[in-house]
Amino acid sequence: MTSHAESSEPERTEDAAPASTDRETVEPTGRKSVMKSRTGDTWVALVAATLIGIVLLIFILQNLEQQRVDLFFWSFSMPVGIMVLLSVIAGALVMALVGGVRIIQLRHAAKR
């Protein structure tokens, strides 16, 4: 039998405030502050993606001159802006593939 002093759980008092289920907390200064949420983070990410998309669109529209591309036995012409966009997409796909393989490895290891 363990004594009260050896218990690892904190003692509950009658005057303790119940846990709040909303996303607000009270700061020591008495003001309420709103905690971060996934919805808020998603909204910030969407705004950032929109701004990056606008900058990318401006870049593509300003770089419409054709450039010849030779890749192995293919040869074709395309605008420089589109070429850069396709290169970024290809890099993102490679990154996602490597990340996906790593996630599968970690899930497999966690099941063991």
Side-chain angles (χ1 to χ4, degrees), residues 2 19 21 29 37 51 74 79-80 83 89 106-107 109:
T2 62
T21 58
T29 59
S37 68
L51 292 175
W74 295 298
V80 174
M83 192 180 328
I89 291 172
L106 291 173
R107 284 184 181 170

Coordinates of all heavy atoms in Angstrom, one line a residue, residues 2 19 21 29 37 51 74 79-80 83 89 106-107 109:
T2 N 0.6 2.2 -0.9 CA 1.4 3.4 -1.0 C 0.8 4.5 -0.2 O -0.4 4.6 0.0 CB 1.6 3.8 -2.5 OG1 0.3 4.1 -2.9 CG2 2.2 2.8 -3.3
A19 N -12.3 21.4 -16.4 CA -11.6 21.6 -17.7 C -12.5 22.2 -18.8 O -13.6 21.8 -18.9 CB -11.0 20.3 -18.2
T21 N -13.8 22.8 -22.5 CA -13.8 22.1 -23.8 C -13.7 23.0 -25.0 O -13.5 22.5 -26.1 CB -15.1 21.2 -23.9 OG1 -16.2 22.1 -23.8 CG2 -15.1 20.2 -22.8
T29 N -3.0 37.5 -17.3 CA -3.4 38.9 -17.2 C -5.0 39.0 -17.1 O -5.5 40.1 -17.0 CB -2.9 39.7 -18.4 OG1 -3.5 39.1 -19.6 CG2 -1.4 39.7 -18.5
S37 N -5.9 26.2 -33.9 CA -6.7 25.0 -34.3 C -6.3 24.5 -35.7 O -5.6 25.3 -36.4 CB -8.2 25.3 -34.2 OG -8.5 26.2 -35.3
L51 N -1.3 33.0 -52.5 CA -0.3 34.0 -52.8 C 0.8 33.4 -53.7 O 1.3 34.0 -54.6 CB 0.2 34.6 -51.5 CG -0.8 35.4 -50.7 CD1 -0.1 35.9 -49.4 CD2 -1.3 36.6 -51.5
W74 N 13.8 12.8 -77.2 CA 12.7 13.8 -77.5 C 13.3 15.2 -77.7 O 14.3 15.5 -77.0 CB 11.7 13.8 -76.4 CG 11.0 12.6 -76.1 CD1 10.1 11.9 -77.0 CD2 11.0 11.8 -74.9 NE1 9.6 10.8 -76.4 CE2 10.1 10.7 -75.2 CE3 11.6 11.9 -73.7 CZ2 9.9 9.7 -74.2 CZ3 11.4 10.9 -72.8 CH2 10.5 9.8 -73.0
P79 N 7.2 27.2 -73.4 CA 7.6 28.4 -72.7 C 8.4 28.1 -71.5 O 8.2 27.1 -70.8 CB 6.2 29.0 -72.3 CG 5.2 28.4 -73.3 CD 5.8 27.0 -73.6
V80 N 9.3 29.0 -71.2 CA 10.2 28.9 -70.1 C 9.4 28.8 -68.7 O 9.8 27.9 -67.9 CB 11.2 30.1 -70.0 CG1 12.1 30.0 -68.7 CG2 12.1 30.1 -71.2
M83 N 8.1 25.4 -68.4 CA 9.1 24.4 -68.1 C 9.5 24.4 -66.7 O 9.7 23.4 -66.1 CB 10.3 24.8 -69.0 CG 11.4 23.7 -69.1 SD 12.8 24.2 -70.1 CE 12.1 25.2 -71.4
I89 N 6.9 20.7 -60.3 CA 5.9 19.6 -60.1 C 6.6 18.3 -60.0 O 6.3 17.4 -59.1 CB 4.8 19.6 -61.1 CG1 3.9 20.8 -60.9 CG2 4.0 18.3 -61.1 CD1 3.0 21.1 -62.1
L106 N 7.8 3.4 -41.6 CA 7.5 3.7 -40.2 C 6.3 3.0 -39.7 O 6.2 2.5 -38.6 CB 7.4 5.2 -39.9 CG 8.7 6.0 -40.1 CD1 8.5 7.5 -40.0 CD2 9.8 5.5 -39.1
R107 N 5.2 2.9 -40.5 CA 4.0 2.2 -40.1 C 4.3 0.8 -40.0 O 3.7 0.1 -39.1 CB 2.9 2.5 -41.1 CG 2.3 3.9 -41.0 CD 1.2 4.0 -41.9 NE 0.6 5.4 -41.8 CZ -0.3 5.9 -42.6 NH1 -0.7 5.2 -43.6 NH2 -0.7 7.1 -42.4
A109 N 7.1 -0.6 -39.2 CA 7.9 -0.8 -38.0 C 7.1 -0.7 -36.8 O 7.3 -1.4 -35.8 CB 9.1 0.1 -38.0

